[in-house]
Amino acid sequence: MDRKCIYCGKVKDLSESDIIPDALTNARILNKNVCRIEHNNKFSDMFESKVINALSFITNKLDIKSSKGKNYAAYNATITIDGSEYNLSLHGNNNIFNGRVLKSSDKTQMLSSYEKMVKISKDESKVHPVDVNHLEIEKRVPINYEIFYSQSMYRMISKIAFEWYCAQNSVIGYHQEFDNIISFITTGKGENPVSIIQESELYMYLTKQVDLGSHTLFAFESHEEINVVISLFGLLMYRVVVSKIKPKFCSKNFLFTELRTDSSREKIEHDSLETAEAYFSDLIKRIPSIKHCEIEFMISTEPNPRLLLYPFIFDMIKCFKNIQNDAKAPNENLNNILRKQLETIIQTFTLHKKSIKRFVKDIFVEGHSPIQLNPHTNDKNSILLFYVVYLVGSSNINKLNDNIFQNLLREHLSLYKSEELVVTNEITSQFKKKILENDNYPDILEKGAHIIKQWNN
């Protein structure tokens, strides 16, 4: 069947639309039935770019980068150095000095290399040398809470829900069943199909079941409506009414997708909740069992991860169907949920190959000076990553692979779930102390960085 745009029905100049903007995910999903200019490229200027820019700190934190660019998105931060504030634009782990000239917010201080400052001031007496490794440095990143409740976010979430549902059902061309959501996405007018789940227990349940920073999408039929619930990074759950009546041409109305930050994904699709439950029941029946003392025990030599995933999805969708108190605008309850979910992402660090290799590439650049850790730094994530490099350098490992790396982390960091670690002041103080107690730590860091750079090279 010929391809046609799902927004307008055009058959010419179609493109592959990133259902979730490429800059917001490492696990791309596409809809091939979107016209290139009007209903793909223009959406970026209309609403997507505003959301992408506002969430740049989150994507940096989760090691998410657009496949179309070389650098991670820049985010704004306020750095306090020796009592003076500096407003900077940062790209992840790069050294905040990095050869640049820092100007304090009140315009009274400048900070850079001694040679550069002498050249700028033209008077060496006005330049005072300082050792940045003994300055107390604090970094603060402002979070734009308003973006989560903005028209741009609602339009982007609607676009994700609509294009994903259509892609899962192989929808081709324009259909009037989607009139309202199409109008809202393309013009911002009409009835807003988006509301926000505000049951805090559901957020706690979701956080325990999916990977840190994942996007999760659920589609289901509720009172003849087709609903899609989207959890963006695990921060807020948005419910989208894709259609107020069940489209007769869409057979798959029980859908689940998890898109993880490591590019992996999980996908489940069925016609309905009833067929999904029947499939799950059949899975259970296929598990070998033995009888002992009249008690039957289920055993399985190769556990199927979907045995745990299906009950979770069933629970979530049944809760979504029963909830009647969605919010359309921010309130104290939603703000509390958002703050707690943000705190979980900020304080929890997922250690994997991509994050550690990115850190080493940013910090251990060619020709760099020996690393001297600042004993006053409060950058918990950087301390953790330096400690991982230190562990690699101080081990007997000469070559890394995924298995060796994960065993090293489990041995020294006591990681249990998906290599996630809650980064607290107490634990990072211990890591920093262990590194600084070794007078030879700069050489050990260099050795660790070299091994990590060669990982799979």
Side-chain angles (χ1 to χ4, degrees):
M1 187 178 292
D2 293 335
R3 293 169 56 196
K4 296 180 182 179
C5 177
I6 57 175
Y7 290 95
C8 62
K10 290 182 180 178
V11 297
K12 293 183 179 180
D13 199 21
L14 300 183
S15 63
E16 292 184 339
S17 169
D18 279 294
I19 294 173
I20 297 176
D22 180 45
L24 296 181
T25 182
N26 288 330
R28 297 174 66 195
I29 50 175
L30 304 172
N31 189 307
K32 298 181 179 181
N33 296 304
V34 178
C35 60
R36 184 172 61 88
I37 301 296
E38 288 297 320
H39 301 121
N40 191 350
N41 294 357
K42 285 188 177 180
F43 287 166
S44 177
D45 294 332
M46 287 180 181
F47 50 82
E48 288 181 334
S49 60
K50 184 176 181 180
V51 177
I52 291 168
N53 292 336
L55 300 184
S56 56
F57 172 67
I58 301 298
T59 54
N60 256 280
K61 169 69 181 172
L62 295 171
D63 291 306
I64 295 172
K65 181 177 71 68
S66 170
S67 63
K68 302 178 179 70
K70 293 182 179 180
N71 298 319
Y72 287 82
Y75 63 93
N76 295 323
T78 298
I79 310 296
T80 302
I81 305 173
D82 200 26
S84 296
E85 289 189 351
Y86 301 81
N87 296 318
L88 305 178
S89 179
L90 300 177
H91 290 271
N93 299 310
N94 286 326
N95 191 304
I96 62 174
F97 301 102
N98 204 29
R100 72 176 92 190
V101 177
L102 306 184
K103 297 181 181 180
S104 63
S105 303
D106 60 8
K107 312 297 182 186
T108 63
Q109 304 285 333
M110 295 179 70
L111 192 62
S112 189
S113 67
Y114 187 79
E115 294 78 10
K116 189 170 290 187
M117 285 294 90
V118 170
K119 184 177 180 180
I120 291 174
S121 68
K122 299 179 181 180
D123 183 352
E124 190 170 359
S125 66
K126 295 181 179 179
V127 180
H128 304 284
V130 295
D131 184 353
V132 296
N133 292 310
H134 290 85
L135 293 177
E136 186 169 350
I137 301 174
E138 177 185 341
K139 181 172 75 172
R140 301 192 307 276
V141 179
I143 301 294
N144 179 3
Y145 282 84
E146 293 179 0
I147 193 66
F148 294 96
Y149 312 109
S150 67
Q151 180 86 339
S152 294
M153 177 65 82
Y154 293 154
R155 291 176 72 182
M156 188 190 80
I157 289 292
S158 297
K159 174 218 180 242
I160 294 171
F162 174 56
E163 292 189 6
W164 176 67
Y165 179 75
C166 287
Q168 297 294 97
N169 278 282
S170 302
V171 173
I172 296 173
Y174 164 83
H175 295 273
Q176 65 179 6
E177 285 87 346
F178 304 122
D179 266 352
N180 185 69
I181 196 168
I182 289 174
S183 176
F184 184 75
I185 296 168
T186 57
T187 69
K189 299 177 181 179
E191 182 182 351
N192 180 0
V194 182
S195 58
I196 308 176
I197 307 292
Q198 52 177 349
E199 296 291 339
S200 58
E201 293 83 0
L202 270 184
Y203 287 88
M204 294 171 60
Y205 185 37
L206 179 73
T207 299
K208 292 178 181 179
Q209 298 296 323
V210 302
D211 283 7
L212 180 75
S214 287
H215 301 304
T216 47
L217 301 92
F218 305 80
F220 55 95
E221 185 180 354
S222 179
H223 309 296
E224 296 301 319
E225 291 183 345
I226 298 300
N227 284 191
V228 169
V229 171
I230 299 172
S231 169
L232 197 67
F233 301 118
L235 295 174
L236 286 180
M237 284 186 275
Y238 298 90
R239 184 200 303 267
V240 185
V241 178
V242 174
S243 175
K244 291 189 175 182
I245 59 172
K246 179 181 176 181
K248 294 181 180 179
F249 47 88
C250 294
S251 60
K252 298 175 182 176
N253 291 299
F254 180 94
L255 303 169
F256 171 82
T257 294
E258 179 186 358
L259 304 171
R260 306 184 183 102
T261 58
D262 65 359
S263 303
S264 65
R265 63 197 70 201
E266 186 67 68
K267 176 181 176 182
I268 286 177
E269 57 180 42
H270 292 283
D271 292 349
S272 64
L273 173 62
E274 291 72 26
T275 56
E277 288 175 332
Y279 175 82
F280 176 69
S281 178
D282 188 55
L283 275 181
I284 294 293
K285 291 176 182 178
R286 293 181 185 180
I287 299 176
S289 61
I290 57 175
K291 282 190 175 182
H292 179 68
C293 298
E294 302 303 321
I295 302 176
E296 186 174 282
F297 296 93
M298 290 184 177
I299 61 172
S300 178
T301 55
E302 296 182 5
N304 187 336
R306 294 194 170 195
L307 288 177
L308 298 177
L309 188 55
Y310 270 93
F312 155 65
I313 300 172
F314 294 151
D315 288 345
M316 292 294 289
I317 288 179
K318 288 175 181 177
C319 287
F320 292 148
K321 286 185 173 185
N322 291 327
I323 289 172
Q324 303 293 327
N325 66 336
D326 286 6
K328 285 281 189 178
N331 58 47
E332 185 178 357
N333 183 43
L334 278 179
N335 286 336
N336 288 337
I337 290 172
L338 181 54
R339 277 192 290 268
K340 186 172 183 179
Q341 297 304 105
L342 273 169
E343 186 177 294
T344 298
I345 285 182
I346 292 170
Q347 292 191 351
T348 308
F349 201 90
T350 302
L351 288 165
H352 49 71
K353 179 180 178 181
K354 183 176 182 179
S355 62
I356 192 64
K357 291 204 73 168
R358 175 192 174 191
F359 178 76
V360 167
K361 180 181 177 182
D362 286 350
I363 300 298
F364 296 83
V365 297
E366 186 176 352
H368 71 277
S369 300
I371 298 295
Q372 296 290 329
L373 296 187
N374 184 343
H376 302 291
T377 183
N378 67 346
D379 189 337
K380 296 191 288 290
N381 290 344
S382 290
I383 294 170
L384 172 61
L385 289 165
F386 272 120
Y387 186 63
V388 172
V389 177
Y390 179 82
L391 287 177
V392 174
S394 59
S395 69
N396 294 321
I397 298 168
N398 293 315
K399 188 175 181 180
L400 275 179
N401 59 39
D402 293 345
N403 187 54
I404 291 174
F405 182 67
Q406 298 304 337
N407 286 337
L408 183 70
L409 297 183
R410 291 190 183 96
E411 179 182 354
H412 294 277
L413 301 182
S414 300
L415 300 179
Y416 298 102
K417 180 189 174 186
S418 302
E419 287 64 60
E420 293 178 4
L421 179 70
V422 177
V423 186
T424 64
N425 288 325
E426 181 181 1
I427 197 169
T428 51
S429 292
Q430 294 174 5
F431 293 160
K432 183 168 59 176
K433 182 180 179 182
K434 287 182 181 180
I435 297 174
L436 293 175
E437 282 178 343
N438 190 326
D439 293 336
N440 196 38
Y441 81 80
D443 292 335
I444 295 175
L445 289 175
E446 293 300 323
K447 178 185 175 184
H450 175 75
I451 294 171
I452 291 168
K453 286 180 179 179
Q454 302 306 310
W455 192 351
N456 282 2
N457 287 350

